[in-house]
Amino acid sequence: MISFKCPGGVYNAIPGRILFGRGSLKDVVGEVEHLGGKKALVISTPGRKPLAERTAALIGGSCVGILPEAVSQVPIELAIEGRKKVREMGADCLVTVGGGAAVGLAKGIAYEVKLPIINIATTYSGSEVTGFCGMTIDGVKQMHISLNMLASTLIYDPELTLSLPVKVSAASAMNALAHCVDAVYVSTVNPVVAIAAAEGAKHVFEAAPAVAAAPDDIEARERLLLGSYLAGIALTGGFALQHGLAHVLGGTFHIEHGLAHALVLPYVAAFHAHRVPAALVPIAAALKTNVSDLGGAIYDMRAKLGLPSSLRETGFAEKDLDKLVRITIETDNGYNPVPVTEEAVSEIVAQMWGGERPRR
């Protein structure tokens, strides 16, 4: 018997308009017009300010300005200041250019100041697809869920990803793969989203090493961006321990978001592959491996991408491992198929620290 439920209205919800293709950045002006925007605010990180200015120029007279202040992990103070600024400017539409930091700031603003959002993705984070946002409050990244944060339009222009450094591309790709793995065993995911997870995992797993080997290969970038979009759809189905651990590494210990996922993923995948193997069969098939070695296959991919193999390599203090375990348990959302106990989390964290290839 097949049975599933998708609670809350935000789970499995995706934006209604998707533009995917080389050169599609130029379509942003039409999308602002479609939303009735007269005072669009463009949001980016400081490093993406030139692209924000280029985007603002495309929007022209319907742009009220740019806000190039986004940073990773969405500090709540920044979101509150952003809400104040959009009210003062009278903005009626938010346009993000960048990855999870820019998208997160727009979400943090829209969480209380409901405005339509256009996300222009330049990384492989997938967060542009969802109505979820982790905001860091008092040193802990706390998940927020609201349809206010769900974008109206997504724009994917593969040409914008060509300037993304190889190491950043690699970590971002691991972030996308993490969405696919973590989604397939949660109770909130629906069958269509589960299919997107498997297909997204296939594209990411095959395209990420190609991008690392040839960063200027636009076709490889294009395929990786498609995989990240599918991974974003997977993320709309929900998330569990993989994201819980990564969010603590980022929000509390300031490890870059993509790298945090890369450090966690081989071990969380292996942990669940030995406890809920049936749920991970589609992911293992997409990666052309056995479920029993799913964690190992992801570990090998991470090595090909040149990313750190252990938490110890990042400078993380060994004395903080217990704190990492404790906060992960305290902030668990209850959707993991295996209880998030001290024993379970400690097992995964110990493997992350050592960095050995997960056992079959």
Side-chain angles (χ1 to χ4, degrees):
M1 182 181 72
I2 297 174
S3 176
F4 65 93
K5 296 179 180 179
C6 306
V10 179
Y11 289 98
N12 306 287
I14 63 174
R17 292 172 68 86
I18 318 294
L19 287 72
F20 193 109
R22 301 176 199 181
S24 55
L25 174 63
K26 68 180 184 302
D27 297 322
V28 64
V29 61
E31 292 306 307
V32 170
E33 291 174 357
H34 173 77
L35 294 173
K38 302 296 184 183
K39 292 185 176 182
L41 176 66
V42 180
I43 297 174
S44 74
T45 60
R48 283 292 189 177
K49 184 178 179 181
L51 182 56
E53 292 172 338
R54 178 182 166 193
T55 304
L58 286 168
I59 298 170
S62 294
C63 180
V64 74
I66 65 170
L67 185 64
E69 299 175 6
V71 297
S72 184
Q73 314 303 339
V74 196
I76 188 62
E77 297 82 3
L78 189 61
I80 291 171
E81 182 63 22
R83 295 165 193 165
K84 178 182 176 182
K85 288 182 178 179
V86 299
R87 289 186 175 110
E88 290 174 348
M89 300 169 77
D92 58 11
C93 175
L94 303 177
V95 179
T96 75
V97 287
V103 170
L105 179 53
K107 288 180 177 180
I109 292 169
Y111 186 71
E112 288 196 2
V113 185
K114 182 174 172 54
L115 293 173
I117 301 171
I118 298 170
N119 288 326
I120 304 169
T122 67
T123 73
Y124 310 110
S125 74
S127 64
E128 71 279 353
V129 186
T130 76
F132 310 141
C133 181
M135 290 184 250
T136 302
I137 303 172
D138 296 330
V140 177
K141 193 169 183 177
Q142 300 179 25
M143 192 54 56
H144 295 68
I145 299 174
S146 171
L147 285 173
N148 282 5
M149 301 189 294
L150 186 69
S152 299
T153 303
L154 305 179
I155 297 177
Y156 293 95
D157 185 341
E159 293 176 354
L160 300 181
T161 68
L162 288 169
S163 62
L164 195 65
V166 172
K167 286 293 176 69
V168 178
S169 299
S172 187
M174 291 294 292
N175 184 8
L177 186 58
H179 302 332
C180 300
V181 172
D182 212 27
V184 293
Y185 43 61
V186 295
S187 59
T188 48
V189 70
N190 75 30
V192 174
V193 168
I195 291 170
E199 188 69 11
K202 176 183 176 181
H203 286 298
V204 172
F205 188 75
E206 294 177 359
V211 168
D216 294 333
D217 184 343
I218 186 65
E219 291 185 359
R221 291 277 189 180
E222 195 168 59
R223 188 178 182 196
L224 185 52
L225 193 60
L226 173 61
S228 73
Y229 164 58
L230 293 169
I233 293 176
L235 181 59
T236 70
F239 43 85
L241 180 54
Q242 166 67 36
H243 286 71
L245 261 170
H247 287 168
V248 178
L249 284 174
T252 302
F253 298 103
H254 312 297
I255 292 179
E256 189 275 325
H257 186 65
L259 177 57
H261 276 292
L263 291 165
V264 175
L265 185 57
Y267 307 106
V268 166
F271 177 86
H272 288 97
H274 290 95
R275 290 164 176 82
V276 287
L280 286 163
V281 166
I283 300 295
L287 273 54
K288 298 180 181 177
T289 189
N290 297 320
V291 173
S292 62
D293 196 35
L294 178 60
I298 295 171
Y299 181 94
D300 294 341
M301 172 193 175
R302 185 180 68 185
K304 286 181 183 178
L305 299 179
L307 293 169
S309 62
S310 70
L311 183 58
R312 180 170 46 200
E313 292 175 51
T314 68
F316 190 96
E318 188 172 9
K319 66 179 179 60
D320 286 331
L321 291 175
D322 289 343
K323 183 178 180 181
L324 170 60
V325 172
R326 175 177 57 79
I327 297 177
T328 300
I329 295 169
E330 290 174 351
T331 55
D332 174 54
N333 65 7
Y335 290 139
N336 207 65
V338 179
V340 178
T341 62
E342 182 176 357
E343 179 182 4
V345 180
S346 295
E347 176 185 329
I348 293 168
V349 166
Q351 292 182 73
M352 286 168 50
W353 178 255
E356 296 181 0
R357 191 178 192 275
R359 296 178 293 276
R360 283 179 178 266

